[in-house]
Amino acid sequence: MSDRRAFATLHRQLLRQEREAEVAEAERLLHQRSDAELVARGTALLRLEVVDLEPGFGGRLCAVLRPSRGGELPPHRFGPGDVVAVRAGRDEPSLCSAVVVRARRDGITVSLEDGPGGEEVDLPSIVRLDRMVTDVTFRRLDQALGALQQEEKGDRARFLDVLFGERDAAPLQPTAPPQWFDPTLDESQRHAIAAALTAEHVALIHGPPGTGKTTALVELIRQAVARGDRVLACAPSNVAVDNLAERLARAGLGVVRLGHPARVHPDVRDVSLAQQVADAPEQKLLKDAKKDLDQALRRLHKAKTRADRAAARAELRQLRAERRQLEQAITIGLLDRAEVVLATTTGASEAGRGDRAFGLVVVDEAAQAMEAACWIPLQHASRLVLAGDYCQLPPTILDADAARRGLARTMFERLSAQAGTASLRCMLTVQYRMHEKIMGWSSRTFYGGELRAADAVREHRLDQLPGVATTEWTEAALCFVDTAGCGHEETTEGDEESKHNPGEADLVVRIVAELREAGVAAADIAVITPYNAQVQRLRERLGDDELEIGTVDGLQGREKEAVVVSLVRSNERGEVGFLAELRRLNVALTRARRHLTVIGDSATLASDRDLCTLVEHLQQHGVYRSAFELA
């Protein structure tokens, strides 16, 4: 049981701690690290030439940037949707913020935000990009928690009482809908959907890796719309929101995807708010308003006297206000007509324009969202379905004290453990991704052995793919390359905060080469490692845009036909670092569909009791190879 006002007060304090930690870390990196170190960490790109300015999606201006000395960009951590500061030099103030639209080896394109006065930014010929910390998200989270402290009555009060354990939830009495839109749903999916549809206030759908959680949510939302609900569907990441938007639009629902155009995947741009505003019948009025604004700007520039300039500025303010009102009216009309509005959890504040209410809020990947973020969409509804898996990675929290005191605990995890709501959780039990040998350790360790592989994936292998030859790697679903005793020790050269393992990197390069030679496409392979330093070195060694190399955090929610995992840790002290966070390993080992190779030091891993069970599983159920064999 938890008093919501005390909860909100505490979490507002913890959020301030986290915000201060974010700012301090950004400042520390920028001022205490050299440019060379920032580039090595992938948080800065220097001496970029502005080779083109082009119109971007949603009417924004995009800058196309290339290395001024030619060649390729160094390995970096910028990706679509990231917010960056554009500067002329290290010690110069930010010219503007920007959002990364696309990043390739030979250049990067960013969507520029307007300057402080709303004017377009005039960029110099050479700029740099630095990762940026903004306070927009913090303000939205704080506002949502502040609203939680207000007095409520009636249905809203009962809803909040249930979510904070001050009132028991009504027992679930799942009732199947009259007809299923998707006849291929398995029994665990149907049960979870029926429970969510009939729950009075809240339902939890626990979806282990590959169990068709998104498929279940699409069916749930279609059923909710069919019975007359307007649905607000959210997730903490843009990728998850886009995936849901694409599936719902394909099902024929009327959807509007909120969010910055640069963060919206091209496949769903047609249903984005920006595109629908651009396609609205009222667009001619908007074009006329823009023409009037352009003329007013020209008059301002030509004004000779103070009186003329004052009059021109007044006219400009009035025209801008009129255009904003017209855009807002178009937006409200689009949102009112939508059956489903989609946004990130922090972007859902825009969904309530015009005091709009929703019959149901659905939060996908809820076990990755800070609880405060879930309260942003919940300002607009009093029925909730959370879907996720608390056995995978939680949200990333920089401030260790804030994490320990509750900021890292998600609403999904809290409600799953709370006496009055724990019975509302339904788990999906059929997984459609992995060979059963790949699935085995995860199922036993995290899900009570309840998962079973669907017939279509139970024994599928790489050499069953078109054009892939049968080799010792492609015919095996699970491999363990043991580096114990081989001298492949971890190192922290130049960066005490992240580790890498050159010997393991050599092994990764060889295994990827053999998979490629057997005919496995680069786009079907991922290399995963827990440490950024190892990621940077592998990217330098494996230069292929289609081959995905990343940390565990970056690949959560993804899948590939083949995955190679480099665990890095190898030392005589038996220190395993954050490999001891088993949820991280759960994610890393469940991205693979047909083939998984794990590279690690069995002696170091066996020093941890839980990791020892992983080593035993790999040795018993996989193909075991000593790294000596591959030397």
Side-chain angles (χ1 to χ4, degrees):
M1 183 176 294
S2 172
D3 176 77
R4 63 182 168 91
R5 293 173 183 82
F7 172 91
T9 298
L10 172 62
H11 275 246
R12 294 180 86 175
Q13 176 193 334
L14 299 181
L15 277 173
R16 284 192 290 274
Q17 284 183 220
E18 178 66 6
R19 169 65 182 162
E20 289 168 2
E22 287 182 355
V23 172
E25 175 66 5
E27 289 295 314
R28 185 182 70 82
L29 289 176
L30 188 59
H31 297 295
Q32 295 183 12
R33 302 274 180 171
S34 68
D35 278 350
E37 288 176 307
L38 293 175
V39 171
R41 294 176 66 89
T43 61
L45 290 171
L46 312 181
R47 296 200 59 77
L48 300 174
E49 181 182 4
V50 183
V51 297
D52 196 12
L53 293 174
E54 59 186 26
F57 193 75
R60 289 167 171 82
L61 189 66
C62 288
V64 181
L65 311 175
R66 300 260 196 275
S68 62
R69 298 187 177 96
E72 297 181 344
L73 294 172
H76 59 82
R77 294 164 62 187
F78 296 102
D82 286 344
V83 180
V84 297
V86 183
R87 292 189 173 92
R90 178 186 177 97
D91 298 322
E92 299 291 329
S94 174
L95 296 166
C96 67
S97 62
V99 177
V100 177
V101 177
R102 55 184 175 270
R104 298 194 173 105
R105 295 183 68 83
D106 63 343
I108 189 168
T109 301
V110 297
S111 174
L112 303 175
E113 299 295 317
D114 290 339
E119 73 281 0
E120 290 184 355
V121 177
D122 185 19
L123 295 180
S125 59
I126 302 294
V127 298
R128 65 180 280 158
L129 301 182
D130 292 286
R131 287 182 73 91
M132 184 177 177
V133 177
T134 68
D135 64 352
V136 173
T137 296
F138 168 76
R139 290 200 307 268
R140 290 174 178 173
L141 295 170
D142 187 66
Q143 188 273 331
L145 290 172
L148 196 57
Q149 295 176 307
Q150 304 303 310
E151 189 67 38
E152 300 287 356
K153 297 180 181 179
D155 290 342
R156 180 68 177 177
R158 286 189 289 275
F159 170 71
L160 294 174
D161 285 348
V162 168
L163 262 61
F164 283 95
E166 296 177 5
R167 179 192 300 261
D168 285 343
L172 284 179
Q173 296 179 330
T175 303
Q179 181 178 347
W180 296 103
F181 290 106
D182 183 351
T184 68
L185 295 168
D186 64 57
E187 283 305 311
S188 69
Q189 290 172 322
R190 293 187 180 197
H191 175 75
I193 294 164
L197 287 170
T198 53
E200 182 180 1
H201 294 112
V202 60
L204 310 172
I205 298 178
H206 185 188
T211 53
K213 172 174 56 64
T214 303
T215 297
L217 287 184
V218 169
E219 179 73 23
L220 167 67
I221 292 169
R222 293 179 74 181
Q223 293 289 349
V225 169
R227 71 182 190 184
D229 281 334
R230 186 199 307 273
V231 179
L232 175 55
C234 303
S237 72
N238 283 288
V239 171
V241 175
D242 288 339
N243 185 31
L244 204 49
E246 182 182 11
R247 300 272 296 269
L248 292 169
R250 201 188 313 148
L253 296 183
V255 306
V256 173
R257 171 32 168 132
L258 303 180
H260 192 294
R263 295 189 176 99
V264 177
H265 193 278
D267 290 346
V268 294
R269 279 185 177 166
D270 285 348
V271 299
S272 70
L273 178 62
Q275 186 62 58
Q276 293 191 53
V277 168
D279 294 339
E282 302 90 343
Q283 184 58 215
K284 184 180 183 304
L285 295 174
L286 277 175
K287 287 180 179 177
D288 290 343
K290 185 179 186 304
K291 190 182 300 181
D292 292 341
L293 276 170
D294 290 341
Q295 292 172 352
L297 275 170
R298 282 194 291 272
R299 284 194 291 274
L300 176 61
H301 292 149
K302 292 178 180 179
K304 302 293 186 184
T305 68
R306 180 179 299 177
D308 288 344
R309 284 195 295 272
R313 286 195 183 95
E315 181 188 17
L316 199 58
R317 282 195 297 271
Q318 181 181 346
L319 289 171
R320 279 180 168 162
E322 290 174 357
R323 187 177 186 211
R324 280 196 298 270
Q325 289 172 359
L326 180 56
E327 287 179 332
Q328 186 173 19
I330 296 172
T331 296
I332 288 173
L334 288 167
L335 293 177
D336 283 341
R337 291 191 295 272
E339 294 172 313
V340 186
V341 175
L342 297 110
T344 60
T345 45
T346 54
S349 56
E350 296 297 307
R353 292 188 188 185
D355 295 326
R356 184 173 299 97
F358 292 85
L360 177 67
V361 165
V362 174
V363 180
D364 191 11
E365 304 295 359
Q368 296 175 44
M370 279 195 297
E371 171 149 359
C374 293
W375 286 108
I376 294 176
L378 279 176
Q379 293 175 95
H380 311 305
S382 293
R383 287 189 62 245
L384 170 67
V385 175
L386 297 174
D389 180 14
Y390 51 80
C391 299
Q392 296 187 57
L393 287 178
T396 301
I397 306 297
L398 289 180
D399 188 280
D401 179 65
R404 179 183 57 78
R405 294 173 63 194
L407 199 60
R409 194 182 197 201
T410 65
M411 181 185 287
F412 191 98
E413 188 175 5
R414 181 173 67 80
L415 294 183
S416 294
Q418 185 171 275
T421 49
S423 62
L424 305 179
R425 180 172 62 89
C426 299
M427 189 170 84
L428 308 181
T429 56
V430 182
Q431 71 85 14
Y432 300 88
R433 175 187 300 165
M434 294 165 276
H435 189 289
E436 62 181 357
K437 287 186 178 179
I438 298 174
M439 174 195 78
W441 181 76
S442 176
S443 178
R444 287 200 303 274
T445 304
F446 297 97
Y447 309 108
E450 293 186 39
L451 299 188
R452 67 176 182 84
D455 292 342
V457 304
R458 182 175 292 121
E459 296 182 352
H460 65 177
R461 305 188 311 271
L462 283 177
D463 60 0
Q464 294 169 340
L465 291 172
V468 176
T470 299
T471 69
E472 60 180 351
W473 297 102
T474 63
E475 69 177 351
L478 183 63
C479 296
F480 179 45
V481 178
D482 189 357
T483 65
C486 296
H488 294 337
E489 293 201 348
E490 66 193 52
T491 182
T492 55
E493 288 177 15
D495 189 346
E496 73 283 358
E497 297 174 7
S498 190
K499 302 183 183 300
H500 64 104
N501 189 315
E504 284 194 14
D506 291 340
L507 293 169
V508 170
V509 171
R510 172 166 177 175
I511 294 165
V512 169
E514 296 204 19
L515 290 173
R516 296 286 288 114
E517 288 169 8
V520 182
D524 288 335
I525 303 171
V527 177
I528 302 176
T529 180
Y531 291 92
N532 280 315
Q534 187 80 335
V535 169
Q536 299 300 329
R537 283 154 182 80
L538 287 169
R539 285 178 178 169
E540 292 167 2
R541 300 280 303 277
L542 295 164
D544 190 322
D545 281 338
E546 293 190 334
L547 177 67
E548 194 156 4
I549 304 169
T551 61
V552 181
D553 307 61
L555 282 152
Q556 180 154 293
R558 309 283 302 286
E559 62 180 55
K560 293 284 185 175
E561 298 293 350
V563 172
V564 180
V565 177
S566 169
L567 296 179
V568 175
R569 301 310 300 261
S570 177
N571 55 75
E572 294 181 354
R573 303 174 302 280
E575 295 176 355
V576 297
F578 54 60
L579 290 183
E581 168 54 275
L582 290 192
R583 291 182 292 184
R584 190 175 299 276
L585 275 180
N586 188 31
V587 174
L589 304 182
T590 55
R591 302 307 94 198
R593 288 174 48 77
R594 299 168 184 264
H595 174 87
L596 171 66
T597 289
V598 179
I599 304 172
D601 182 339
S602 62
T604 299
L605 297 173
S607 63
D608 181 275
R609 182 180 61 185
D610 294 320
L611 293 177
C612 188
T613 67
L614 171 62
V615 172
E616 291 170 353
H617 175 83
L618 293 170
Q619 292 173 337
Q620 291 172 12
H621 300 281
V623 174
Y624 177 88
R625 293 186 177 95
S626 169
F628 283 119
E629 300 173 39
L630 305 179

